[in-house]
Amino acid sequence: MRGPTSPLPPGFEEMIRRWLERNWPFLALTLLSFFFFLLLVQLVALWGQGALILGGGEAAEGRPLELGALARRATARLLRLIGIMVLLGIPGFLTFLVLLLGLIGGFLLAFAQRIEGIRIATLILIALMTLALLGCLLLLSWVLHLWSRLALRAALLEDLPWLSALRRGFQIGLRRVAPLLLVWLVLDVGVLGVTAFVLSLLTAVPLLALLGAGFLALFGGGRPMEPSAFVQFGLIAVLAGLCFTLFSRILLAPVITFVETSWTMAYRAWIGTGAPAATEAGR
């Protein structure tokens, strides 16, 4: 009897192994460069968010907006913003790590069972625990997101160190639970979330068309499958995804500016316009 046929040509796995042996430095350098590029993008986005928050505070006080001064002030406070985001990101990362390790360990334990009934029961239990942990992760991410909204503004508008800003944001969040949830629903979900979803759908259509054209150009017409062709297609997919993501973020920039400014106005209303940080923190 003939075994199941493979969609890949004979010897393709060996071709991939040889290609990886010859080109692993290029592949490692590419992945490392991509990681640092994403890190740089996150830092620039955080710096831009800080400048927007400072600009919203200046506009609320009726002061003229000077882009150079806002950029310098955001740069001077960038380290405290990084500290806030890193500290708030640790709980979510640890929860995700526990979820991932538990999922892998659970599946290994399930498939190690020799009795079919025990294996099925173990898989069901793993699925239920995964759903529960995933719900906890989503809830934790939502709480940390709201906390970061308040802590960043405490660090920038009230010029607090990052640990004091975290404590300040936590205190304000506890005192303003109802308005905080209302602002989050209107701005983050209703305005930013819906707009980002619509733009994602609009940019997904040309992105898929471009990827389909690239796939046909590299693999269509009975061309032989080579590892280099897969690498070229992967680079095309990554570059196209980055370009369309950047384009959608540019289209989303006015909405982000509106949302960040509205959050700043809400924060100023919650602390009282012009209220000193020390006075508010001591209440």
Side-chain angles (χ1 to χ4, degrees), residues 205-217 233-234 236-238 240-241:
V205 175
L207 177 61
L208 292 176
L210 179 61
L211 293 180
F215 185 86
L216 292 177
F233 180 74
I236 291 174
V238 171

Side-chain angles (χ1 to χ4, degrees), residues 122-141:
T122 305
L123 288 174
I124 293 175
L125 181 62
I126 293 170
L128 295 176
M129 293 180 63
T130 301
L131 291 176
L133 285 175
L134 187 58
C136 293
L137 180 61
L138 292 176
L139 179 61
L140 179 63
S141 301

Side-chain angles (χ1 to χ4, degrees), residues 250-273:
I250 292 174
L251 295 178
L252 198 61
V255 180
I256 294 176
T257 302
F258 170 78
V259 169
E260 292 293 340
T261 305
S262 300
W263 268 104
T264 300
M265 299 298 103
Y267 182 87
R268 285 173 55 84
W270 293 334
I271 66 173
T273 304

